[in-house]
Amino acid sequence: MSTLKLANANPGRKLFSSKVATTVVWVITVLWTVPTFGLFASSFRNKQDIFLSGWWHIFTNPHLTLSNYHAVIFGSSSSTLSDGVLPYLMNSIVITIPAVIFPVVIATMAAYCLAWVKFRGSDALFFFIFCLQIVPIQMSLVPLLQLFTGGAHIGSFTIIPKLGIAGHFAGIWLPHTMFALPLAIYLLHNFIASLPRDLMEAAYVDGANHFKVFRQIVLPLSVPAIAAFAIFQFLWVWNDLLVALTFASGTEEVAPINVKLASLVGQWGSGWETLTAGAFVTIAIPLIVFFSLQRFFVRGLLAGSVK
């Protein structure tokens, strides 16, 4: 009886759980997937077929080849990508892993401190960190690059010396870490603050200090929230082009794979066959990361939303 009253009181719930809603979701999913499938199909077509016909001709005239992937991975003298993307793929891995670990570690400790180690001005500090999210990344790139290359000075007095890290991996790790911290602290703070107060107080009564509580209680319980943010941060850094172009300073030794793939069209204007294959090479590692952590993803997204 109560279930029937609930259904009658909420007709929208009945509508969105109907077969019509399911059909709409499937249609949207298919339409969303079509461009990606077209890119995937084009990656197996040769250059001539790509320029002469659309990707859907793969069903009527399936001339497939793996030469595009061979050229992308190992390089080819006949391709605009003569040296392959393996060095740049390794650069992306070297850039992304520390750029995920650093903000996660710092933000987790900061979130615990702001949530459970109360001090004067802690709430104001938390709101200030939250407001830093409104600062556009594009406005901070050039000043930050000037700081790395020339330092900060007032007249002849040096406030911050020249760091000299532009064109090195550290010059890319640091901006990604700085840009990620406000959102990471906000998300993790909401989750850590929602942990049971009785559990925390019992640990303090038993003589545990903050470090022990953080290591043995907070970290194990915060795995879903940490994993959810780690997925987002990994995808943001892996797919980034703007920060890499700015702080790599044109140095190919630290350039990620996105910079190299962008040059296929930006520099040469004719590398569509290798660009499509290279796009799916870059997709492989994020897919592995996402499916490895997907069981934490939904729980992490909802973490802290209900206290």
Side-chain angles (χ1 to χ4, degrees), residues 75 172 244:
I172 306 177

Short mmCIF file of all heavy atoms in Angstrom, two decimals, residues 75 172 244:
data_model
loop_
_atom_site.label_atom_id
_atom_site.label_comp_id
_atom_site.label_asym_id
_atom_site.label_seq_id
_atom_site.Cartn_x
_atom_site.Cartn_y
_atom_site.Cartn_z
N GLY A 75 57.25 3.95 -35.82
CA GLY A 75 57.73 4.94 -36.77
C GLY A 75 57.85 4.37 -38.17
O GLY A 75 57.91 3.15 -38.36
N ILE A 172 56.39 20.50 -15.17
CA ILE A 172 55.02 20.09 -15.53
C ILE A 172 54.31 19.49 -14.33
O ILE A 172 53.11 19.68 -14.15
CB ILE A 172 55.06 19.10 -16.71
CG1 ILE A 172 55.84 19.69 -17.89
CG2 ILE A 172 53.64 18.74 -17.17
CD1 ILE A 172 55.99 18.75 -19.07
N ALA A 244 51.14 21.21 -20.89
CA ALA A 244 52.35 20.57 -21.43
C ALA A 244 53.05 21.47 -22.45
O ALA A 244 54.28 21.58 -22.45
CB ALA A 244 51.98 19.23 -22.07
#
